[in-house]
Amino acid sequence: MKKKILSYLLKTLLPAGGIVLSVFFSFNVLGCGSTVSGLNMLGGDFSLPRIEAFKLEESDLLQMKFSRNVNICQMSVIQDPGLEEKSEAIDCSCQIDEDGQVKIKLNKEMIPGREYQLDGTVKDEKNNILSFSLPFKGYNSRIPKLIISEVRNAYGYSTVKKVKHYKTEFIELFVLEDGNLAGVKIISALDGEEKAYYCPAVEVKAGSYVTIHMRTISKDKIKDEIIKDETDGNLNSSYSQDTSSSAVDLWSENETAVFGVSDVIAVINSQTSLPMDALLYESREKAFDNYSSLAETVNSAEIWEGEPFDASNVASTAVTRSISRQNVKVIYSDFKAGKYPDGKIPVRAEDYVVVKTVTPGAPNSSEAYVKK
């Protein structure tokens, strides 16, 4: 008897009344390429609209694309959703374009890098309803132009007065114009999205350096080091063998190896998914591989020119050496003179040298490492 009642409900009530589903999505906003896979929780000949893309279009405008056209949408945005006392509801309006794009207009601009949450409900032509809650970070309209200055793909330690001080992989960026780092992404083809680093909101000035330490020092190995992101303007709040009082130091929470012996490292504007700069390097220890889509993204952006840099003199345990860019000052001078109106700064293998001394947060050494 129970089976007959259940069968009757499935055949009559569900198709007639449509489907309502609430779901919580949590993912990093990556711009145009962002996608969210759909849910296949129920069988039958019905389907729900799925979120296919979510994009921060402007400082007060969000854009969404669903797997099927929706004709009704209700949206609300909350600032600082995890902080009950500080959370704020932001008024917004929803518009559906002819091509099915859903645009959410906020009545105030977002704060770069701030935590936000979009709560929404959409209904398709068959009255199937999807409700969702989607976290994201505030749009940054002032992402500065950045170039890679120095990279160390080694992990190890130096001994000072019989005490081991650990040194981790890092990437040093040179800032070509004033701006805010919120939305800047560092990713390696070998490590992928799992170890990608998203910069916090921090103001930077043209002509300065930013050192991103891509592996944190574990608590059991910390001696007198202070592991802290310098987001408040105090360039002395972080301390290790590789920090500098003249540069912004930022730390990834990653605790395992990053940056391969041969790899592609890219600086990405995560709001547009477009690369700003990249380093392709290859060592004889391991043959170079295209490493899936990241190399293709870099190539299509026409940033890197020619063959990968020969990094055979770099070892994964040689913490004193780095892959060091030698034309940073020239690029900065040309940039200020307006030489790169389209923002594309070409990179070649000959721009880099393996140096015998790392200089995070400071002008690069030009003394090449010579294997004995």
Side-chain angles (χ1 to χ4, degrees), residues 14-122:
L14 282 179
I19 303 162
V20 179
L21 178 64
S22 297
V23 61
F24 182 87
F25 292 109
S26 179
F27 63 96
N28 288 316
V29 179
L30 301 178
C32 294
S34 303
T35 58
V36 183
S37 58
L39 300 176
N40 296 311
M41 298 175 62
L42 302 172
D45 58 354
F46 50 80
S47 63
L48 292 163
R50 293 178 289 107
I51 299 175
E52 289 190 337
F54 175 72
K55 179 182 178 183
L56 306 184
E57 190 72 29
E58 296 175 8
S59 57
D60 61 352
L61 183 63
L62 313 176
Q63 184 170 297
M64 302 187 74
K65 178 67 176 178
F66 293 87
S67 58
R68 61 201 307 176
N69 288 339
V70 295
N71 50 29
I72 294 179
C73 67
Q74 296 178 336
M75 304 286 177
S76 62
V77 174
I78 301 174
Q79 180 179 298
D80 297 323
L83 304 175
E84 292 185 5
E85 296 180 356
K86 294 184 178 181
S87 63
E88 175 188 353
I90 299 176
D91 292 335
C92 61
S93 58
C94 182
Q95 176 184 331
I96 304 173
D97 292 346
E98 293 181 359
D99 60 356
Q101 297 280 353
V102 177
K103 294 184 177 181
I104 302 100
K105 181 76 171 179
L106 282 62
N107 73 342
K108 62 181 290 187
E109 292 188 351
M110 292 176 272
I111 301 173
R114 200 70 167 264
E115 298 289 339
Y116 290 87
Q117 182 172 300
L118 173 65
D119 295 323
T121 299
V122 295

Side-chain angles (χ1 to χ4, degrees), residues 141-147 174-181 202-208 210 269 276 331-332 335-336 340 343 345:
S141 62
R142 298 176 52 250
I143 292 181
K145 181 62 180 176
L146 306 164
I147 59 171
F174 185 80
V175 183
L176 295 175
E177 59 185 350
D178 296 354
N180 191 296
L181 296 182
V202 54
E203 291 290 320
V204 291
K205 294 292 186 180
S208 65
V210 178
N269 180 334
M276 291 188 280
I331 292 174
Y332 186 37
F335 184 85
K336 289 190 293 184
Y340 308 106
I345 300 175

Side-chain angles (χ1 to χ4, degrees), residues 8 71 83 165 176 178 206 232 237 239 254 322 352 364 372:
Y8 172 78
N71 50 29
L83 304 175
H165 293 274
L176 295 175
D178 296 354
D232 59 358
S237 57
Y239 174 74
N254 168 60
S322 70
Y352 283 90
N364 293 339
K372 297 178 180 180

Side-chain angles (χ1 to χ4, degrees), residues 313 321 356 367-372:
N313 284 338
R321 302 175 219 161
K356 62 185 299 183
E367 186 177 0
Y369 169 79
V370 178
K371 191 174 183 179
K372 297 178 180 180

